[in-house]
């Protein structure tokens, strides 16, 4: 019998669904007898047919999102939080810094396309007060962070959920797959606003460029630093950050970079706090980050 897969798209950018579509043929090669019974990016299906595996993209931002997520939980035997928005809130999590009326007014009343009478248009979404990762609402069986998830990990997850024997998921950081070498340097300055360096084989931290590889779970085989760009943390925090309340992105990066370059730790910390919306952007609305006693996200962001 074919394994039935159902997908849903909450508040996200659709990039995760595109990743599934990209994988489609590979998925069929890897796991024979898979059938998509619901996949909104390809087929207009309003109902929630029963499925063996449910794949959910996006965070809960609206009442409609919550309703759809509950329907997915009811109709699917196993549910996957698919992509960083579903797992940690993702870029949508920036909404955690603002109240919902401010956001609605900005979008529907204060833009050039707003209605002339300043009224909220019919059909405007009913937002919840904040952005919520989906495991705060329903039980989740499997997490695949990534923005979007890498095909290798999607296939691995589906095979695992269908009962195939597969190796355990890596719990290492992006650095583990990065080909650059960490080196001690002298006279390096903090490269504010930069996401690349001048040397291709040297760790970006050693070059004074903030790279979040050492505080990010490897779910991408270090795609960015291996191609010349600093890791922006799109796969979400590394496991030590999630499990240890006292550890934080800015202090870990500052300590490591300072040891490598001699740049003053406080200068690095101040810079990361000033640019917190960038450096924390993928997990802003996750309790694993905002509940940390050392994180003052709203204060850093001037909210
Ligand atoms: S995780 Fe990234 S690709 Fe997926 S929906 Fe969110 S923003 Fe889009
Ligand atoms: S910090 Fe970035 S550049 Fe340095 S080793 Fe880790 S992933 Fe590579
Ligand atoms: S290197 Fe970092 S930003 Fe790039 S895909 Fe991997 S986790 Fe995302």
């Amino acid at each position: 019998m074919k394994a039935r897969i159902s997908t849903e798209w909450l508040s996200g950018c659709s990039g995760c669904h595109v990743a599934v579509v990209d994988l489609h043929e590979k998925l069929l090669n890897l796991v024979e007898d898979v059938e998509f019974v619901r996949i909104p990016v390809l087929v207009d299906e309003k109902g929630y047919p029963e499925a063996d595996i449910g794949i959910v993209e996006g965070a809960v931002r609206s009442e409609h999102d919550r309703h759809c997520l509950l329907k997915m939980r009811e109709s699917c035997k196993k549910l996957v939080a698919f992509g960083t928005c579903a797992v940690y809130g993702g870029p949508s999590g920036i909404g955690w810094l603002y109240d919902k009326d401010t956001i609605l007014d900005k979008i529907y009343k204060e833009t050039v396309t707003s209605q002339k009478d300043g009224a909220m248009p019919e059909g405007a979404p009913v937002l919840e007060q904040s952005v919520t990762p989906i495991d705060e609402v329903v039980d989740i069986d499997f997490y695949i962070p990534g923005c979007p998830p890498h095909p290798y990990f999607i296939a691995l997850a589906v095979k695992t959920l269908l009962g195939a024997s597969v190796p355990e998921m890596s719990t290492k950081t992006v650095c583990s797959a990065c080909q650059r070498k960490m080196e001690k340097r002298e006279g390096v300055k903090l490269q504010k606003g930069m996401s690349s360096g001048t040397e291709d084989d040297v760790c970006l931290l050693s070059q004074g460029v903030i790279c979040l590889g050492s505080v990010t779970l490897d779910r991408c085989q270090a795609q960015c630093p291996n191609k010349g760009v600093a890791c922006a943390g799109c796969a979400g925090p590394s496991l030590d950050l999630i499990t240890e309340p006292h550890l934080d992105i800015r202090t870990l990066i500052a300590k490591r970079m300072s040891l490598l370059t001699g740049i003053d730790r406080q200068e690095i910390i101040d810079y990361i706090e000033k640019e917190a919306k960038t450096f924390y952007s993928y997990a802003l609305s996750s309790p694993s980050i905002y509940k940390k006693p050392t994180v003052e996200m709203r204060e850093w962001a001037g909210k």
Side-chain angles (χ1 to χ4, degrees), residues 174-175 178 180 182 202-205 211-214 225 231:
V174 169
C175 289
C178 178
R180 294 168 181 266
M182 284 187 180
V202 176
C203 171
L204 289 154
L205 293 179
C211 175
L212 300 186
S214 60
C231 172

Side-chain angles (χ1 to χ4, degrees), residues 12-16 57 83-85 91 146-148:
C13 77
S14 85
C16 284
E57 164 191 326
T84 300
C85 288
C147 182

Side-chain angles (χ1 to χ4, degrees), residues 185-188 256-265 268:
R185 293 286 172 93
E186 285 180 10
V188 176
R256 194 165 285 119
M257 185 185 240
S258 182
L259 286 169
L260 290 168
T261 62
I263 299 170
D264 181 56
R265 274 190 209 189
I268 303 166

Side-chain angles (χ1 to χ4, degrees), residues 221-295:
Q221 297 163 347
Q223 294 193 66
C224 298
N226 284 340
K227 293 194 173 87
V229 184
C231 172
C234 86
S238 49
L239 286 191
D240 55 348
L241 270 168
I242 294 170
T243 54
E244 301 291 338
H246 66 288
L247 294 179
D248 178 35
I249 289 175
R250 74 199 201 294
T251 46
L252 288 179
I253 291 287
K255 182 179 179 188
R256 194 165 285 119
M257 185 185 240
S258 182
L259 286 169
L260 290 168
T261 62
I263 299 170
D264 181 56
R265 274 190 209 189
Q266 196 56 47
E267 184 187 355
I268 303 166
I269 288 174
D270 290 347
Y271 173 56
I272 294 178
E273 286 181 9
K274 184 167 172 289
E275 303 297 334
K277 284 190 212 170
T278 298
F279 293 121
Y280 287 79
S281 58
Y282 290 94
L284 263 180
S285 65
S286 168
S288 66
I289 292 297
Y290 73 71
K291 279 194 175 167
K292 280 185 182 292
T294 52
V295 168

Side-chain angles (χ1 to χ4, degrees), residues 86-103:
V87 179
Y88 299 112
S92 319
I94 193 81
W96 180 81
L97 292 173
Y98 304 86
D99 72 77
K100 66 183 172 73
D101 293 327
T102 305
I103 294 171

Side-chain angles (χ1 to χ4, degrees), residues 53-301:
I53 300 174
I55 294 177
V56 179
E57 164 191 326
V60 173
R61 169 75 269 193
S62 65
E63 289 182 7
H64 183 253
D65 287 340
R66 187 173 290 263
H67 167 80
C68 297
L69 178 57
L70 292 172
K71 286 284 181 195
M72 284 295 283
R73 184 64 276 183
E74 275 170 30
S75 59
C76 302
K77 288 183 192 153
K78 299 272 173 71
L79 206 58
V80 180
F82 188 67
T84 300
C85 288
V87 179
Y88 299 112
S92 319
I94 193 81
W96 180 81
L97 292 173
Y98 304 86
D99 72 77
K100 66 183 172 73
D101 293 327
T102 305
I103 294 171
L104 287 169
D105 287 352
K106 189 84 186 165
I107 296 169
Y108 293 106
K109 295 185 178 178
E110 297 167 19
T111 61
V112 286
T113 53
S114 299
Q115 301 196 117
K116 292 214 167 31
D117 61 2
M120 197 61 70
E122 207 176 308
V126 182
L127 294 190
E128 296 197 344
Q129 199 52 254
S130 192
V131 181
T132 311
I134 67 173
D135 69 354
E136 297 283 299
V137 179
V138 296
D139 290 337
I140 295 299
D141 300 291
F142 214 94
Y143 296 84
I144 316 181
C147 182
H150 189 284
Y152 172 79
F153 290 102
I154 302 173
L156 203 58
V158 173
K159 284 174 76 177
T160 302
L161 286 167
L162 292 178
S165 167
V166 289
E168 277 189 13
M169 290 277 198
S170 162
T171 55
K172 294 179 178 171
T173 66
V174 169
C175 289
S176 71
C178 178
Q179 287 155 14
R180 294 168 181 266
K181 295 279 171 291
M182 284 187 180
E183 286 179 6
K184 270 190 177 271
R185 293 286 172 93
E186 285 180 10
V188 176
K189 290 197 166 45
L190 182 59
Q191 303 297 311
K192 294 183 181 177
M194 296 298 289
S195 59
S196 60
T198 52
E199 296 166 272
D200 291 342
D201 51 355
V202 176
C203 171
L204 289 154
L205 293 179
S206 301
Q207 301 184 58
V209 175
I210 303 280
C211 175
L212 300 186
S214 60
V215 289
T216 301
L217 195 61
D218 175 35
R219 285 291 175 269
C220 65
Q221 297 163 347
Q223 294 193 66
C224 298
N226 284 340
K227 293 194 173 87
V229 184
C231 172
C234 86
S238 49
L239 286 191
D240 55 348
L241 270 168
I242 294 170
T243 54
E244 301 291 338
H246 66 288
L247 294 179
D248 178 35
I249 289 175
R250 74 199 201 294
T251 46
L252 288 179
I253 291 287
K255 182 179 179 188
R256 194 165 285 119
M257 185 185 240
S258 182
L259 286 169
L260 290 168
T261 62
I263 299 170
D264 181 56
R265 274 190 209 189
Q266 196 56 47
E267 184 187 355
I268 303 166
I269 288 174
D270 290 347
Y271 173 56
I272 294 178
E273 286 181 9
K274 184 167 172 289
E275 303 297 334
K277 284 190 212 170
T278 298
F279 293 121
Y280 287 79
S281 58
Y282 290 94
L284 263 180
S285 65
S286 168
S288 66
I289 292 297
Y290 73 71
K291 279 194 175 167
K292 280 185 182 292
T294 52
V295 168
E296 300 282 351
M297 194 66 65
R298 288 196 168 112
E299 193 178 300
W300 301 339

